[in-house]
């Protein structure tokens, strides 16, 4: 779809009334664009108050005003919207997903296709919890890690013991978790590699511990265990293809970084669904991908 079409007209559809909805449907139909409405309804006073307080505390636009006055003003605006707003109904024959009280209840109508179904999964996992923390860290160094900054591929280090610096990192990680003074339940996820599991060894109460094969390093297939330098010398053509498209290139019998992103998707959905703090201990590439997702980095 041409983005210029999307930005060429004033798109202000809050579903105030059927006439505005009909306008949007007509424009999208003329452009050959499939349309899916996502409607959020919240009538739980507690959820509304939490969302409004979060909005006020995080927005620089409200920094100069008193919170009590702002809450009163925004709640009045909500009442004004309610007086003219009309909810989506099945009789209109539209495709829509209706979220009620932040995914406490979900309704879907005429939803077909891959992307719309993925959207259902996404909105089911929405929650407003500003207290939740996600910590992502690398596994500790092992006795067989390459010399350097530690960012290189950990060649065949699955079952190696932690090095002295790895043990020190593990102790520091335990001290960090203790300093957070976590109240209630929290979760710890690691890859299935021994080095990742050993990294959390000094945490006194590791919460709910889970290990996932999806958090393992990218598998390089026929070049497994080889450094980039070895690959360049032994397989110059493979190395050239790899460097031409490092994100999508897949070694024979292995996987690409795109494959890694795809196998991480279900875990990301599970993490989004959690309302408790979570510590994720994995390898360098997996940490990079996870941080890109949760810090909303797109390039």
């Amino acid at each position: 779809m041409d983005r210029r079409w999307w930005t060429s007209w004033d798109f202000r559809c809050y579903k105030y009334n059927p006439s505005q909805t009909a306008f949007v449907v007509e424009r999208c139909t003329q452009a050959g664009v499939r349309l899916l409405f996502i409607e959020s309804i919240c009538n739980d006073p507690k959820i509304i108050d939490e969302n409004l307080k979060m909005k006020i505390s995080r927005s620089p636009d409200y920094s100069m005003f008193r919170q009590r006055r702002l809450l009163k003003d925004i709640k009045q605006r909500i009442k004004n919207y309610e007086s003219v707003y009309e909810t989506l109904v099945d009789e209109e024959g539209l495709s829509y997903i209706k979220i009620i009280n932040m995914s406490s209840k979900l309704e879907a109508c005429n939803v077909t296709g891959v992307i719309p179904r993925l959207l259902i999964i996404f909105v089911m996992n929405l929650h407003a919890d500003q207290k939740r923390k996600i910590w992502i860290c690398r596994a500790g160094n092992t006795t067989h890690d390459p010399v350097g900054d530690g960012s290189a591929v950990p060649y065949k280090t699955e079952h190696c013991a932690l090095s002295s610096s790895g043990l020190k990192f593990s102790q520091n990680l335990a001290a960090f978790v203790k300093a957070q003074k976590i109240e209630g339940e929290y979760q710890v996820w690691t890859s299935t590699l021994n080095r990742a599991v050993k990294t959390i060894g000094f945490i006194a109460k590791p919460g709910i511990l889970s290990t996932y094969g999806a958090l393992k390093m990218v598998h390089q297939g026929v070049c497994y265990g080889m450094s980039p330098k070895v690959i360049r010398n032994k397989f110059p053509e493979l190395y050239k293809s790899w460097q031409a498209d490092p994100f999508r290139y897949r070694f024979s019998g292995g996987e690409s970084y795109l494959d890694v992103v795809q196998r991480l998707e279900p875990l990301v959905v599970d993490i989004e669904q959690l309302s408790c703090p979570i510590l994720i201990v994995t390898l360098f590439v997996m940490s990079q991908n996870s941080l890109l997702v949760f810090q909303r980095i797109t390039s």
Side-chain angles (χ1 to χ4, degrees), residues 72 131 166 169 178 188 222 236 240 263:
K72 184 178 180 181
K131 298 180 180 179
F169 176 80
K178 183 178 180 180
V188 179
V222 295
K240 186 177 179 180
R263 65 172 155 96

Side-chain angles (χ1 to χ4, degrees), residues 132 134-137 268 271-272 280 286-299:
R132 185 181 68 144
I134 301 174
W135 299 293
I136 302 172
C137 74
V268 170
I271 293 170
E272 289 284 7
I280 304 171
M286 311 308 293
S287 299
Q288 280 184 319
N289 280 281
S290 301
L291 286 170
L292 289 175
V293 171
F294 293 111
Q295 290 186 348
R296 305 294 191 265
I297 300 173
T298 57
S299 61

